[in-house]
Amino acid sequence: MASPDSPQTTSSVVNPESTGGGTVTATASRFLTQRGYPSLEKAAERPGLTPYPAWAASALCITSAIPSMRGLRGYPGYFPLVCFGAVFAGSGYMMNLDIDNGTSTATAWGVIYTSLFLRSSLTARKPGPIALLAGIVGMTGVYGVETWDSVFG
């Protein structure tokens, strides 16, 4: 066992600087790029070119299916939320293969979700359905800009 005065020779999990790996963001970005996903730096610069907003919207929809099963007012039904979650997850996967079709799919289904559930979410005046709607609208906006650029730009 090392004495308290000797320097620590094992790498620290809490401090990635001691492993020579750089910051946590750089380590996570390297982990993602080794597996074929966009880096976090790219996601911060142009989030519409990464699948992460679509996957976040998918997670929001699927986790919101739990309160909808309890019949809370303002949430869409269980089946629509699970289906929209699957579509957003699929569009995120699609972005790894074809960025134009992935962004346009996420944009189109985000517009469909907003068209169907805007009124019920706002009239419920509950934070959960409004936060879910805001997340979907935000994702639609992020991908809508990229879709607009790819079609008209």
Side-chain angles (χ1 to χ4, degrees), residues 2-66:
S3 69
D5 296 331
S6 67
Q8 185 179 3
T9 57
T10 61
S11 62
S12 172
V13 175
V14 176
N15 185 6
E17 298 283 336
S18 65
T19 61
T23 64
V24 174
T25 306
T27 305
S29 289
R30 190 170 47 255
F31 176 82
L32 290 170
T33 53
Q34 286 173 349
R35 282 150 183 82
Y37 296 108
S39 68
L40 294 178
E41 287 85 10
K42 182 178 178 183
E45 292 171 8
R46 295 201 52 194
L49 297 177
T50 64
Y52 306 128
W55 288 340
S58 173
L60 278 173
C61 286
I62 291 173
T63 56
S64 296
I66 296 168

Side-chain angles (χ1 to χ4, degrees), residues 80-100:
L81 283 173
V82 171
C83 289
F84 274 102
V87 167
F88 292 140
S91 67
Y93 173 73
M94 195 183 310
M95 282 179 221
N96 288 328
L97 306 172
D98 183 7
I99 194 72
D100 291 337

Side-chain angles (χ1 to χ4, degrees), residues 138-149:
M139 185 248 352
T140 304
V142 165
Y143 289 131
V145 169
E146 296 300 330
T147 300
W148 183 270
D149 285 347

